[in-house]
Amino acid sequence: MNLLTLPRGQHGEMDNDPSRRLDRVLGALLARLDGGAVPTIGPVTALLSQRRQEGHVCLDLRDASSATLLPAGFSLEELRKSRLVGAPGEFKPLILDGADRLYLHQLYQDECALARAILQRAAQPPCTLEAEAFRAACEFHLGARSPGPDGMDRTRIAAYLALTRTLALVTGGPGTGKTWLAGRILGMGISLGVFAPHRVALAAPTGKAAARLDEMIRPNLDDAARAQLPGARTLHRLLGVSADGRRTRHHARFPLDCDVLVVDETSMADQRMLSLLFDACPPHARILLLGDPGQLAPVEAGSILADLAACSRDYPNDVQGHIEAATGESLPPADDKGPLADCRVHLNVNHRFRECPGLSELAAGIREGRSGDVRGKLGEGSLTGVTWEPKPLTAAGIAAILAPFQEAFGRACAAETPAKAHAELSRAKILCALRQGPWGAPAINERLEARLRSAGLAEAGDWYRGRPVMVTRNDYALGLFNGDLGVAWPDDEGRRCVWFAGADAKGAMRAFDPSRLPAHETAYALTIHKSQGSEFDEVLVLLPEGADSMMTREMAYTAVTRARRKVTLVASAELLAAAIETPTRRAGGLAEALRRA
């Protein structure tokens, strides 16, 4: 049987892409198993597999965009007749639910299991805390009350929920203090006797995010608690996921040994991973999820944090007295009494952008989809800290915008220590929408290196003094993780080394011989995806023509919110508007299942 032909994916992949070949092989396999009973079963399965590669949990057969991709002659009624297609509850390779969403069996099982676990935890009645003791703990760990624009101090509400419920979701944009607050909540829980430090589990989707979580949490604990607190781990390591990804050491029959689980950067966690996590967490344990639902969705299937945020209010509406009595906050009444109504608090005070409100205004405009407003203010130049270059990228234009980064490299090379060089290089970063092509991150890195060498700033060879390096694969033995940034710099004896910030809160630099490094690449420029979880004083965002097929609101928002003080945005008005007006929509039934309960 000939392999099936598929349309290009959303990123324009060619037919020789390995993932596309896998889609076609899977489609051909099910077509053969079906025995020709349903002629379109092969192409539809291949399309379903392709959509999964693009992050969708299912193929929504009622969606207009899906209809344009379906093979000629497709009939929903004919598909139902295939012996390979089952209804919910049946054990078939493909599952077609009542809303005409077609799933691969495992993804359907994961979605149902995750929905059940979330609803079960949300339905558990909260325990109570003595109000006076809680308020005293707030004063000690959170400091003086600091109300936001709505008059509420949401950190106190979030702390109360996290300490009394088995499921709490704390969301907020970059710089709102989510991870800082998690450390304070743990300190409060330990001091109030709600849990013990050795019964805490800290985790994040990536090694870099886990290391940052550890660095943020530990300073908020006393010496005794800090000594007992287990180190933060990736979700894979926490669960003990096997090399093939099919098994986990921890599951419902052998759960995690913890009373509280804190997960940072939840927006980066896919459906499969969170389904396994909830299955492995003991029923009594508190789960605290932290993240920004406006950021990029995970690489794998699902957009769980965004789904959870869409199904819950941004503050609890339980005004029966226990939250108000404990926190001292006056909660406005609300009509939403859904199952997740009292599980989420959205932090609304941005500490990062206090000195640069223009960045905050830009981020809010993108996140809220106000493309006309954003373009108008960019055109006026009224956003402090924001520069807009609306002209399409050209070879001549790129030379001008790279000049400040050449200057930054010169300052780094003139630094006295690798720590100071690292700090100089970390102040500014180029963020690229693409990885491939002339405006992709590798190509921009090559251009800048060529400029540095022609200016006599960079030495010949790979390990010239001042080269910024980013690790692209975790190495737990070395304590280096995907996304870690280092700098090439000789040691006191003149030997080639690459220096990275230390794994502890003090940030002491650690030196490694280049030959020992895991997979890595030059890092003047990063892709926007790779920049998640990082922040820089200044960022240059390159959104070239040709990136329109993959640009989304979440990508633009993630890019500009990496900056603390200044962002230069290079994008045509049309491309920028299209990105802001294109929110990520991933097909799946989780949000509906949570709302329906």
Side-chain angles (χ1 to χ4, degrees):
M1 179 180 293
N2 293 331
L3 292 182
L4 303 164
T5 301
L6 276 176
R8 291 172 182 257
Q10 66 177 9
H11 304 316
E13 296 90 345
M14 299 299 290
D15 282 344
N16 61 358
D17 186 304
S19 62
R20 298 287 82 81
R21 291 200 298 271
L22 177 62
D23 299 336
R24 296 193 296 272
V25 168
L26 180 62
L29 172 63
L30 263 68
R32 186 166 64 250
L33 292 175
D34 190 62
V38 178
T40 58
I41 190 73
V44 169
T45 301
L47 177 60
L48 172 59
S49 178
Q50 174 182 310
R51 298 292 275 174
R52 180 187 64 83
Q53 297 281 354
E54 295 168 355
H56 299 278
V57 176
C58 63
L59 180 60
D60 189 344
L61 298 175
R62 295 181 183 178
D63 183 68
S65 62
S66 297
T68 62
L69 301 174
L70 292 170
F74 170 79
S75 165
L76 184 56
E77 292 306 313
E78 187 178 60
L79 182 68
R80 296 181 195 275
K81 297 176 184 178
S82 172
R83 61 192 181 94
L84 302 179
V85 178
E90 294 186 295
F91 188 72
K92 298 290 182 70
L94 304 177
I95 300 296
L96 185 64
D97 74 359
D100 293 338
R101 289 183 290 247
L102 185 66
Y103 294 81
L104 294 171
H105 180 83
Q106 184 62 66
L107 287 177
Y108 181 76
Q109 292 295 100
D110 289 341
E111 183 177 277
C112 292
L114 182 57
R116 285 195 303 269
I118 290 171
L119 292 171
Q120 287 170 0
R121 287 184 175 276
Q124 291 186 31
C127 67
T128 58
L129 288 176
E130 202 281 317
E132 187 174 342
F134 176 77
R135 289 194 185 191
C138 284
E139 292 297 321
F140 181 80
H141 291 276
L142 299 178
R145 182 175 178 273
S146 180
D150 55 6
M152 293 188 294
D153 185 344
R154 297 191 177 201
T155 62
R156 281 163 161 69
I157 301 171
Y160 189 83
L161 289 187
L163 294 173
T164 59
R165 302 195 67 98
T166 53
L167 176 63
L169 178 62
V170 176
T171 61
T176 52
K178 300 181 294 295
T179 312
W180 173 88
L181 178 59
R184 303 290 169 159
I185 290 172
L186 291 183
M188 293 173 67
I190 294 168
S191 67
L192 291 169
V194 176
F195 45 75
H198 69 281
R199 301 284 298 169
V200 174
L202 305 175
T206 68
K208 178 184 178 182
R212 181 177 176 275
L213 175 63
D214 211 52
E215 293 169 3
M216 293 290 290
I217 292 290
R218 291 186 179 277
N220 295 306
L221 306 178
D222 60 34
D223 291 343
R226 195 179 301 123
Q228 298 179 56
L229 184 72
R233 289 172 282 179
T234 63
L235 293 173
H236 282 80
R237 292 203 83 190
L238 179 73
L239 294 173
V241 179
S242 63
D244 60 9
R246 296 181 179 179
R247 300 175 304 281
T248 59
R249 174 177 172 78
H250 293 287
H251 41 74
R253 295 184 302 278
F254 184 56
L256 295 165
D257 188 21
C258 66
D259 293 330
V260 59
L261 168 64
V262 179
V263 181
D264 200 8
E265 298 287 359
T266 308
S267 63
M268 299 169 68
D270 61 87
Q271 176 178 281
R272 175 66 173 161
M273 184 55 63
L274 284 179
S275 176
L276 293 171
L277 182 70
F278 272 77
D279 183 59
C281 198
H284 73 277
R286 294 171 175 81
I287 297 180
L288 173 58
L289 303 178
L290 312 169
D292 182 357
Q295 289 199 39
L296 284 164
V299 175
E300 301 297 332
S303 52
I304 309 307
L305 185 64
D307 289 342
L308 288 174
C311 298
S312 57
R313 300 187 62 85
D314 65 354
Y315 53 82
N317 62 21
D318 183 348
V319 293
Q320 302 306 310
H322 64 281
I323 293 180
E324 289 185 327
T327 64
E329 302 299 324
S330 179
L331 303 179
D335 297 329
D336 181 7
K337 290 292 183 182
L340 301 184
D342 295 327
C343 294
R344 177 190 175 206
V345 177
H346 186 77
L347 303 181
N348 60 352
V349 178
N350 193 301
H351 306 282
R352 183 187 301 177
F353 297 146
R354 278 179 173 172
E355 297 179 2
C356 194
L359 279 174
S360 180
E361 196 172 347
L362 173 63
I366 294 174
R367 185 183 64 244
E368 296 164 10
R370 295 185 277 109
S371 63
D373 187 34
V374 169
R375 288 174 58 184
K377 290 184 177 180
L378 288 174
E380 296 167 0
S382 60
L383 297 176
T384 57
V386 180
T387 301
W388 182 34
E389 298 287 349
K391 297 179 181 178
L393 281 171
T394 63
I398 195 70
I401 60 178
L402 290 182
F405 294 88
Q406 179 176 327
E407 295 170 7
F409 178 81
R411 292 193 300 271
C413 287
E416 299 174 353
T417 65
K420 292 181 179 179
H422 186 275
E424 287 290 345
L425 291 169
S426 297
R427 287 197 174 97
K429 198 63 63 179
I430 306 167
L431 304 183
C432 303
L434 303 174
R435 180 163 182 83
Q436 305 299 327
W439 309 118
I444 296 297
N445 282 319
E446 290 178 5
R447 287 185 188 219
L448 190 49
E449 281 187 320
R451 286 175 58 90
L452 295 173
R453 288 198 169 100
S454 60
L457 294 173
E459 305 160 358
D462 291 337
W463 297 107
Y464 55 89
R465 179 188 180 103
R467 176 193 172 192
V469 176
M470 182 180 68
V471 172
T472 59
R473 184 177 301 166
N474 295 338
D475 188 319
Y476 294 98
L478 294 179
L480 294 174
F481 303 104
N482 185 5
D484 280 353
L485 294 170
V487 59
W489 201 268
D491 64 13
D492 292 341
E493 298 179 7
R495 293 174 298 197
R496 296 183 308 171
C497 290
V498 182
W499 298 76
F500 292 86
D504 57 23
K506 295 180 180 179
M509 298 295 287
R510 299 174 294 154
F512 297 90
D513 186 283
S515 64
R516 297 182 63 204
L517 294 183
H520 56 273
E521 57 190 34
T522 303
Y524 299 103
L526 309 177
T527 62
I528 296 171
H529 278 85
K530 283 290 187 182
S531 73
Q532 279 189 278
S534 300
E535 57 183 68
F536 312 97
D537 286 349
E538 176 182 354
V539 298
L540 166 63
V541 180
L542 303 183
L543 307 180
E545 300 303 310
D548 52 312
S549 63
M550 62 181 297
M551 282 303 303
T552 63
R553 179 182 301 168
E554 291 76 12
M555 181 174 284
Y557 172 79
T558 300
V560 302
T561 55
R562 299 310 90 202
R564 284 186 291 252
R565 298 177 183 172
K566 180 180 179 182
V567 61
T568 299
L569 186 59
V570 182
S572 68
E574 295 74 21
L575 178 61
L576 184 59
I580 296 173
E581 294 167 7
T582 308
T584 297
R585 290 191 175 94
R586 289 190 167 182
L590 179 65
E592 183 179 316
L594 295 176
R595 290 194 186 98
R596 190 173 57 239

